[in-house]
Amino acid sequence: MPTETGRHFLAIPGPTVIPERVSRAMNRSMVNIYEGPLIDLTHGLFPDLKKIAKTEGDCLMYISNGHGAWDAALFNTISAGDKVLVLESGRFAAGWGVMAEQMGAVVETIPCSTRQGVDPHAVETRLRADTSHEIKAILVVQIDTATGVWNDIEAIGKAIKAVSHPALYMVDCIACFGCVPYDMDAWGVDVTIAACQKGLMTPPGLGFVFANDKAMARRNENGCLSVYWDWLPRADPDMYYKLFCGTAPVNHLFGLREALNMIDEEGLDAVYARHSRLARGVRAAVAQWGEGGPLELNIANPAARSDAVTTILTGDIDAQVLRRLCEDQLSLTLGLGIGLDFNAAFRIGHMGHVNEPMILGTLGTVELALAKMNAPYAPGGVDAAIKAMA
Ligand SMILES: *Cc1c(COP(=O)(O)O)cnc(C)c1O
């Protein structure tokens, strides 16, 4: 039987730990969705979300998970037969590409090993060759939750600009929105995707699309086959009922309001610095363990290791056994190694409502599990983390 004493800690990269303030804000009776305080509260969410995306563009909000937001972005910008360039860096951009393919897009992928990120030069070279501008959209993720890679969205934006390619630049920030710096307008991004259940510390159920004027113009040329995903009614502040194409997600809106208040109180820069500090600790621990065994960070280039999630390769230490042991005996849930060998990888999420005791506790517990398994590792991971975080 799993242990039931103390608090179980969920260290998966989304959904993340919900702050009690957010839970309390959500635990309430229904309110009028047509008039009254909910309307003002909802309108107040948009400027705060746009501040995190750093955009003057529109923000469209959906009752959906991240996949829904992917679909929303594609439905408004892609027509059957359009060519879409997917910049692979793990499972997620590829998954978005699969959705585009089902809509009739012709998907071309720039492949990438699971241990690296997108190479901006390769993007520039491919776009330079596309002299007839067949490519209509470029899909990439900022942080790939499967591999733990942190793609350089600014550098890819510069590569697109360098060849003056007119394709829409579309970025999935679901894993790291509100965890790491992002600058949509300055980096030349046309469409940004986010969701509420990772850095935004709210239970799964809200998806966001940010679209600039160029993307909106594409919507107008393209039309939108779906009423539900259509950006236009959702962008019209006078049509409140259309914001959600029906009933508003009342509790989620109250919860998100509270989560955004918490981010505002801490300050975005402090939030980013906290994620960076905690991630440094996780990486230092893994590096130390790896001194005496097969554990290693999945991402080879230190500059491309993400501050929201870390993917750890375990070699011949059975990652499934490690995860099971943590889950059943040590009150810690670790992330599966998705898109990689389940038996030889696991992930630690360090996004959202996390702090030093949570991360040091996670690392100490992983080290305890390694000890219980008699796995080969160099002790002192927690000590290394403390040094890296101090
Ligand atoms: C979590 C995640 C998704 C998928 O979001 P869902 O809410 O599970 O649909 C997509 N992209 C990235 C980068 C993610 O981290």
Side-chain angles (χ1 to χ4, degrees):
M1 278 294 285
T3 52
E4 300 247 4
T5 49
R7 242 179 220 193
H8 192 102
F9 184 60
L10 186 67
I12 64 174
T16 59
V17 173
I18 306 302
E20 277 166 36
R21 277 176 66 177
V22 172
S23 296
R24 280 198 297 271
M26 293 183 73
N27 183 9
R28 59 186 305 139
S29 315
M30 289 303 105
V31 296
N32 189 351
I33 59 167
Y34 301 101
E35 49 192 23
L38 184 69
I39 314 291
D40 292 339
L41 179 144
T42 304
H43 285 307
L45 297 172
F46 292 98
D48 288 358
L49 291 165
K50 284 161 63 164
K51 231 185 280 170
I52 299 175
K54 283 210 180 172
T55 184
E56 299 290 318
D58 280 302
C59 172
L60 305 314
M61 206 185 291
Y62 295 89
I63 300 177
S64 79
N65 58 16
H67 281 70
W70 276 351
D71 237 358
L74 296 171
F75 259 106
N76 286 273
T77 55
I78 303 298
S79 301
D82 283 354
K83 181 166 243 185
V84 169
L85 185 64
V86 170
L87 311 182
E88 195 178 51
S89 63
R91 192 170 138 136
F92 285 90
W96 197 3
V98 167
M99 282 187 151
E101 201 150 41
Q102 179 144 345
M103 287 175 50
V106 179
V107 172
E108 178 182 325
T109 300
I110 298 185
C112 182
S113 105
T114 54
R115 304 201 59 183
Q116 281 168 334
V118 173
D119 172 10
H121 298 295
V123 179
E124 186 171 334
T125 304
R126 178 60 191 96
L127 293 178
R128 209 177 279 289
D130 183 35
T131 48
S132 58
H133 295 162
E134 266 186 36
I135 296 168
K136 301 298 179 208
I138 299 160
L139 311 186
V140 66
V141 299
Q142 186 178 17
I143 287 179
D144 189 292
T145 327
T147 63
V149 78
W150 187 349
N151 288 314
D152 189 340
I153 300 305
E154 183 178 17
I156 299 166
K158 280 185 182 151
I160 297 168
K161 215 175 262 173
V163 294
S164 302
H165 198 288
L168 287 181
Y169 183 24
M170 315 224 288
V171 180
D172 168 354
C173 297
I174 295 169
C176 52
F177 194 74
C179 305
V180 303
Y182 188 68
D183 205 340
M184 174 166 169
D185 293 353
W187 295 349
V189 177
D190 301 304
V191 176
T192 297
I193 306 297
C196 69
Q197 78 273 23
K198 298 186 185 178
L200 295 182
M201 309 179 286
T202 303
L206 292 174
F208 314 105
V209 177
F210 302 87
N212 68 7
D213 289 348
K214 181 177 163 187
M216 274 291 172
R218 181 73 67 83
R219 152 66 188 88
N220 291 329
E221 285 160 37
N222 184 68
C224 181
L225 283 175
S226 159
V227 171
Y228 190 77
W229 297 121
D230 194 352
W231 288 347
L232 289 192
R234 288 177 190 252
D236 185 343
D238 296 328
M239 311 259 266
Y240 183 74
Y241 194 60
K242 297 201 173 173
L243 270 181
F244 293 102
C245 195
T247 307
V250 174
N251 305 62
H252 273 77
L253 296 172
F254 281 102
L256 180 63
R257 178 65 270 158
E258 195 60 26
L260 291 171
N261 291 348
M262 289 176 67
I263 290 174
D264 187 54
E265 287 161 23
E266 185 178 357
L268 253 190
D269 288 340
V271 170
Y272 297 155
R274 173 169 52 84
H275 280 86
S276 163
R277 200 165 64 238
L278 297 175
R280 231 170 24 241
V282 173
R283 294 192 289 262
V286 177
Q288 172 60 25
W289 294 329
E291 290 295 316
L295 290 186
E296 61 175 326
L297 295 162
N298 178 50
I299 297 304
N301 172 8
R305 292 172 182 158
S306 98
D307 283 350
V309 52
T310 295
T311 301
I312 298 143
L313 302 181
T314 62
D316 51 15
I317 298 174
D318 190 328
Q320 297 281 52
V321 172
L322 176 73
R323 281 195 323 100
R324 270 284 131 241
L325 193 115
C326 287
E327 174 93 36
D328 296 343
Q329 296 178 33
L330 302 173
S331 303
L332 172 69
T333 304
L334 296 168
L336 267 175
I338 60 169
L340 304 166
D341 180 354
F342 279 163
N343 299 311
F346 72 97
R347 296 175 301 155
I348 296 175
H350 33 89
M351 51 176 73
H353 191 55
V354 281
N355 61 18
E356 281 76 2
M358 288 155 140
I359 294 302
L360 289 170
T362 297
L363 297 172
T365 305
V366 170
E367 195 162 326
L368 173 57
L370 291 167
K372 278 170 161 288
M373 286 169 71
N374 281 320
Y377 73 98
V382 177
D383 208 37
I386 289 168
K387 287 199 181 84
M389 285 156 66

